Amino acid sequence: MRALIASYAWLLARLPEGFARANAAVLGRLVWLLRRRVIRTNLRAAFPDRDEAWVRRVGRLSCRRAAEMGLFSIVSPRLSDDEIRDRVQVHPEVLAGEARLTSDVGGLVLFVPHFTLMEMMTAVTLAAPSLGDRPWVTLYRPLNQPAADAWVKAARERFGMRLASRREGFGELMRNVRAGGVSSILFDQKIQSGRRLTFLGRPAAVTHLPGLLAQRHKAATRIFWAERTGFWRCRLRMEALQATDSIGLTIESNAWLERQLRSGDDVCANWLWAHDRWKHGEADFRPLGG
C-alpha cells in the first residue's frame, strides 16, 4: 500500500497540475455520488431559500474541493519546501495585531473549522518561520488503514507540528498550552456526545473541548483557517475570539462559522458538507448552557 501511495504522490507532484485537477474532479464526482443524499439534505436545510440548481452546484463544488484536500495530503511529502512555500501564504494578521500568533501572546488554543485545504495549515511554520519557536500540537483522528495513516501523519508533522491522537491526546494538548505552546482542535466535527447548539437553523451536537481547554488554562483563543486562493493554494487567516469561558467560546466560534458559510457561495463550498454534523443533534443532550 505504501508503494502505491508513494507512486501516486510522485505522479501528482511531477506531472502538470492539470493531472491533479482532473483527479480532483473525478474523485469529487465519486464523493458526490456516494454522499449526495446527505449533502443535499444539509444544504437544503441550511439554505431553504436556495433552489435545487444552487444546491447541486455548491454540493458538487464542495466535493471536488474535499478531493483536492485529500490529494494534497498524498502529494505534500513529494513537494519541496519551496513548492509548498509558494502555495501557502500567511496573512499579516497572523504575525501582528490583536489576532497574532507570536510567542509573546503565551499559550494559545486554536479553533479550526472544517474548511478544505486545512491540510495546508500544517505548513504554517514553514511559511512563517518566526512561529516555529514554540511547540505546536493538534488533535487528530488516525486513519483506519495503517500505511495511509503513517503517510498522512508524516506529512502533517513534516514542519514541526505534533499530532496527538483523539483517543489519548487531550492531555498532551493541555500540557502544551500550559507550557506556552499552541494547541489546535477542529471545533465543527460530527460528534456522538456533547451539548446541543442550533447551527444553521438545526440542532447539532457540538464539542466544548477547545473552549474547556482555553478556560482551564486561561489561554488566548483564535479561529485559525485556510482561505482558499486557488488549486492547492491558500492564505492562512486568524481571528481573535472574545469570550473567555467554555460555553461562550463554543457559541462564538460556531456563530463565526455560520457567518462565514452565509457570506458567499465560494466560502460555502469550501466547507465539508459531506459530513453530517447534525446527525446526533436530536439526541437527548442538554442545550449548551443548560
Side-chain angles (χ1 to χ4, degrees):
M1 175 61 75
R2 180 177 174 83
L4 181 61
I5 296 173
S7 298
Y8 187 38
W10 187 89
L11 290 172
L12 290 170
R14 295 297 163 246
L15 292 180
E17 190 175 283
F19 175 76
R21 289 175 177 269
N23 277 248
V26 171
L27 293 173
R29 178 63 176 170
L30 179 61
V31 174
W32 170 256
L33 292 175
L34 293 174
R35 300 290 294 172
R36 64 184 182 275
R37 180 175 298 179
V38 169
I39 296 168
R40 292 168 74 177
T41 298
N42 288 341
L43 284 168
R44 286 169 180 162
F47 299 93
D49 57 327
R50 299 288 190 168
D51 61 22
E52 187 62 25
W54 182 91
V55 168
R56 287 195 302 270
R57 179 170 57 81
V58 171
R60 289 172 176 171
L61 183 55
S62 176
C63 291
R64 188 160 65 247
R65 290 182 176 176
E68 175 187 344
M69 179 180 69
L71 290 178
F72 185 81
S73 299
I74 296 172
V75 73
S76 60
R78 291 292 182 260
L79 298 176
S80 69
D81 287 5
D82 286 342
E83 286 174 312
I84 292 180
R85 195 179 290 112
D86 286 343
R87 295 174 181 276
V88 181
Q89 305 299 315
V90 175
H91 194 282
E93 68 200 0
V94 176
L95 301 173
E98 180 189 18
R100 68 190 184 280
L101 273 180
T102 48
S103 56
D104 61 299
V105 176
L108 271 166
V109 177
L110 304 184
F111 290 60
V112 179
H114 252 110
F115 282 149
T116 55
L117 297 189
M118 64 183 183
E119 292 288 344
M120 304 184 80
M121 295 164 64
T122 60
V124 59
T125 56
L126 173 69
S130 63
L131 298 179
D133 60 354
R134 56 176 170 168
W136 287 65
V137 178
T138 187
L139 206 62
Y140 91 112
R141 176 185 295 170
L143 302 177
N144 294 327
Q145 213 292 325
D149 181 64
W151 182 275
V152 171
K153 187 173 187 291
R156 292 171 174 173
E157 293 185 328
R158 174 180 172 184
F159 303 111
M161 185 172 291
R162 190 165 71 255
L163 268 61
S165 170
R166 287 180 60 183
R167 299 187 183 100
E168 63 275 337
F170 192 63
E172 187 171 355
L173 264 70
M174 288 194 293
R175 290 189 294 272
N176 188 54
V177 171
R178 189 164 57 242
V182 181
S183 293
S184 62
I185 305 177
L186 286 164
F187 72 89
D188 59 343
Q189 289 183 302
K190 179 186 71 176
I191 62 172
Q192 296 183 13
S193 61
R195 297 293 184 89
R196 188 172 64 246
L197 177 72
T198 298
F199 179 71
L200 289 173
R202 286 190 293 162
V206 297
T207 179
H208 64 292
L209 287 181
L212 184 64
L213 178 62
Q215 177 180 310
R216 181 171 296 177
H217 297 288
K218 296 181 172 58
T221 53
R222 307 282 190 268
I223 301 280
F224 184 39
W225 77 102
E227 181 181 70
R228 187 181 185 277
T229 57
F231 189 85
W232 286 349
R233 289 169 177 82
C234 72
R235 180 184 300 110
L236 302 184
R237 300 290 309 275
M238 194 73 55
E239 186 169 321
L241 292 167
Q242 303 304 317
T244 57
D245 64 288
S246 174
I247 292 174
L249 287 165
T250 303
I251 293 172
E252 185 181 357
S253 57
N254 280 274
W256 175 92
L257 180 56
E258 274 202 22
R259 292 194 300 273
Q260 289 289 313
L261 297 179
R262 296 187 187 281
S263 67
D265 293 357
D266 192 68
V267 177
C268 186
N270 281 337
W271 199 55
L272 300 183
W273 291 94
H275 79 290
D276 189 2
R277 195 188 180 195
W278 294 269
K279 182 175 182 179
H280 303 289
E282 299 291 350
D284 190 20
F285 300 142
R286 284 187 297 164
L288 196 66

